[in-house]
Amino acid sequence: AMPKPDLDSPERIEQFVDAFYGKMLKDERLAPFFLDVAKIDVREHFPRIRAYWEKLLLGHNHYHRHTMNIHRAVHRQAPMVEADFAQWLALFTATVDESYSGEKAERAKDVAAHIVANMERSLGAAAREG
C-alpha cells in the first residue's frame, strides 16, 4: 500500500476539514450543535476552521481564546456532555487515520485531544458556576 500523505499542505488540510465536517454534519449526536444551536453558516465557518488548522499544523501554535467564547455560547444553549466531546474526538481521529499519516497528522490528533481537554475543563467549570 502507498504510504498516506501527511497533513502538510493547505490543500490537504482543506480536504481533511471538509471530510471531518462532512462526517460531523451527518452525525446524530453532533450535527444538532452545528445546525440547530450554533446555526453555523458552514460556508462562512469552513475558511476559519481551515485557517486555524493551517496555523496550528503549518505555522505557529496559537490557541485563540476567542474560540472558547463561541463554544461557551453554544454550551449555554445546549450543554455539551462528555460523550459529545468523545464523539468529536473519535470522528476527528478516524478522519485523520483514514487518509493521513505522519508527524503533522499525529500533531493534529494531539492538538484535538488537547482542545477537548481544555473545553471540558472550562465548559465544565462554566456549567458548575452557571
Side-chain angles (χ1 to χ4, degrees):
M2 286 288 291
K4 293 172 184 168
D6 202 356
L7 280 171
D8 55 3
S9 73
E11 294 72 28
R12 285 176 180 161
I13 289 170
E14 182 172 341
Q15 288 161 350
F16 167 75
V17 169
D18 287 350
F20 177 47
Y21 275 82
K23 286 196 172 91
M24 272 205 295
L25 295 172
K26 287 195 204 81
D27 185 87
E28 284 175 16
R29 180 178 271 286
L30 299 177
F33 286 112
F34 291 89
L35 300 175
D36 304 339
V37 181
K39 298 200 176 31
I40 282 169
D41 179 347
V42 169
R43 287 174 311 259
E44 189 192 325
H45 196 58
F46 269 23
R48 285 187 211 147
I49 302 265
R50 285 188 199 127
Y52 178 76
W53 285 100
E54 274 178 38
K55 188 183 272 173
L56 280 171
L57 296 175
L58 308 178
H60 311 290
N61 189 3
H62 292 307
Y63 182 70
H64 292 298
R65 293 309 297 174
H66 70 249
T67 56
M68 254 343 290
N69 295 337
I70 299 165
H71 293 122
R72 230 178 238 125
V74 170
H75 186 67
R76 271 198 295 274
Q77 292 172 276
M80 291 175 253
V81 298
E82 214 167 293
D84 300 321
F85 292 114
Q87 178 71 352
W88 184 90
L89 192 56
L91 278 184
F92 188 98
T93 303
T95 309
V96 173
D97 289 341
E98 241 163 59
S99 308
Y100 306 95
S101 68
E103 192 190 333
K104 300 223 185 284
E106 289 307 310
R107 179 170 157 79
K109 292 187 286 185
D110 288 346
V111 169
H114 199 75
I115 289 170
V116 162
N118 268 342
M119 284 182 65
E120 285 189 319
R121 231 190 352 264
S122 55
L123 294 177
R128 279 195 299 278
E129 290 156 21

